[in-house]
Amino acid sequence: MIRLSKLTDYAIVVLSEMARQVGTVHTVAHLADRSGVPAPTVAKLMKAMTPAGLTTSQRGAAGGYALSRPADAISIAEIITALDGPIALTACVDGADSQCGVEQLCPMRGGWEKVNRAIRSALEEVTLADMMAPVTFPAPAAAPNSTAAQPARPAH
Amino acid sequence: MIRLSKLTDYAIVVLSEMARQVGTVHTVAHLADRSGVPAPTVAKLMKAMTPAGLTTSQRGAAGGYALSRPADAISIAEIITALDGPIALTACVDGADSQCGVEQLCPMRGGWEKVNRAIRSALEEVTLADMMAPVTFPAPAAAPNSTAAQPARPAH
DNA sequence: AGCAATCAGGACTAAATTGGTCCTGTATTC
DNA sequence: GAATACAGGACCAATTTAGTCCTGATTGCT
């Protein structure tokens, strides 16, 4: 299966935790505590998110991190890109060494681009808000039709 | 970046090699030779492709492998699925253990499904034929404009 | 028959990635 | 100036992945 790094998974948990209170600063300790993700890992996450422009940081005593935009303006693609680099389905994309041993490989590189574009746009259309809002079970009284769609899969 | 296993990459090279002559049987040695992929690896690939129904095998002296369908009827999604398992962007999909430590993670699992579906369908629309056809250089006498298109990126 | 070729199906080793931790430095508030 | 937090790395350990090899089973040819 195509693996999404676990870090990205955590990032979404942490970011959505922050999304609860936009504009508030959250310390690493605070976020770790409320998300269940170990603190050093949260720190690592944020160190990637901030340069990428997804969060803003405030140093010093009353410092911390805050989302730089509302959750519905942050796409999953951005989060993945911030952590795992450019979204692409191949091993040799970053133009590192031109020789990939298996020469016949390269003639068909062009085909991957088509695939990559499709995936990229798919990922750009899903926002952080989409990830938290729709399937939260706030109360037992669910929407009428949602009963048929979701419960098929056991939680995750 | 989202990683596609190198095996899958090889698989496409090897399969497209087979696609040149549909209906012919190709031995592992033969395929290895013409694709540049090491023989044991080719063997491993085929052992995944055949049960998945992408290729047929013939044992014995005059045996070998053959594509079970024409290249334009084989989607990239099938190849990936055969090698890497179901296409999904998350760590805990296969319903293994219900506890993924970080509990807050699961409420948002539903969101991934949306993403996964998008990716899956993107991958289903690209066929093996798409991967080989457009940018093959059959003879040194290449098409006029191909000179400009390809060399831009250093091979791959 | 018997022999050679070829796939089937694992076990196994080695290498590359990834996840996670820690340490030192810098900014900011009180 | 002391305490709090982020910044930015280096670094180690664990998991995954790639790749190799070995022992069958099957088929065609001599």
Side-chain angles (χ1 to χ4, degrees):
Chain A
M1 82 185 161
I2 305 180
R3 257 201 22 236
L4 184 67
S5 74
K6 211 185 291 179
L7 267 277
T8 308
D9 220 348
Y10 289 158
I12 291 178
V13 178
V14 172
L15 289 179
S16 67
E17 185 60 41
M18 295 173 75
R20 299 262 175 78
Q21 294 112 297
V22 196
T24 318
V25 293
H26 308 263
T27 68
V28 166
H30 189 196
L31 288 170
D33 199 53
R34 299 210 298 174
S35 65
V37 178
T41 302
V42 174
K44 190 174 201 169
L45 286 175
M46 303 317 288
K47 282 173 205 168
M49 301 284 104
T50 306
L54 295 178
T55 53
T56 57
S57 66
Q58 175 69 33
R59 285 189 172 187
Y65 293 98
L67 276 193
S68 58
R69 277 170 277 159
D72 61 2
I74 296 180
S75 74
I76 299 302
E78 285 182 282
I79 302 175
I80 295 180
T81 303
L83 286 168
D84 299 342
I87 294 171
L89 267 189
T90 316
C92 59
V93 197
D94 37 75
D97 43 333
S98 313
Q99 301 291 33
C100 35
V102 188
E103 336 179 317
Q104 278 83 344
L105 239 150
C106 293
M108 54 187 52
R109 275 283 164 262
W112 283 117
E113 254 320 292
K114 185 179 174 186
V115 177
N116 287 336
R117 254 193 299 277
I119 290 184
R120 229 172 272 140
S121 70
L123 255 29
E124 273 159 11
E125 275 168 25
V126 184
T127 70
L128 179 57
D130 289 333
M131 298 298 285
M132 35 190 316
V135 267
T136 316
F137 308 92
N145 61 335
S146 74
T147 329
Q150 217 46 29
R153 104 180 22 197
H156 67 293
Chain B
M1 82 187 159
I2 304 180
R3 258 203 19 239
L4 184 65
S5 75
K6 212 185 289 180
L7 268 276
T8 307
D9 220 348
Y10 289 160
I12 291 179
V13 179
V14 172
L15 289 180
S16 66
E17 186 59 42
M18 296 174 75
R20 300 261 174 79
Q21 294 111 297
V22 195
T24 318
V25 294
H26 308 262
T27 68
V28 165
H30 189 194
L31 287 170
D33 199 52
R34 299 211 298 175
S35 66
V37 178
T41 302
V42 174
K44 189 173 201 169
L45 286 175
M46 302 317 288
K47 281 173 207 168
M49 302 283 105
T50 306
L54 295 178
T55 53
T56 57
S57 67
Q58 176 69 32
R59 284 189 174 187
Y65 293 98
L67 275 193
S68 59
R69 277 171 277 159
D72 61 2
I74 295 180
S75 73
I76 299 302
E78 285 181 280
I79 302 176
I80 295 179
T81 303
L83 286 167
D84 299 341
I87 294 171
L89 267 189
T90 316
C92 60
V93 196
D94 37 76
D97 42 333
S98 313
Q99 301 291 33
C100 35
V102 186
E103 335 178 316
Q104 280 83 344
L105 241 150
C106 293
M108 55 187 53
R109 276 282 164 262
W112 285 117
E113 254 321 291
K114 185 179 174 185
V115 176
N116 287 335
R117 256 194 298 276
I119 291 183
R120 229 172 271 142
S121 70
L123 255 29
E124 273 159 12
E125 275 168 25
V126 184
T127 70
L128 179 57
D130 290 333
M131 298 296 286
M132 39 189 312
V135 267
T136 316
F137 309 91
N145 61 334
S146 75
T147 330
Q150 219 45 27
R153 95 180 33 188
H156 64 291

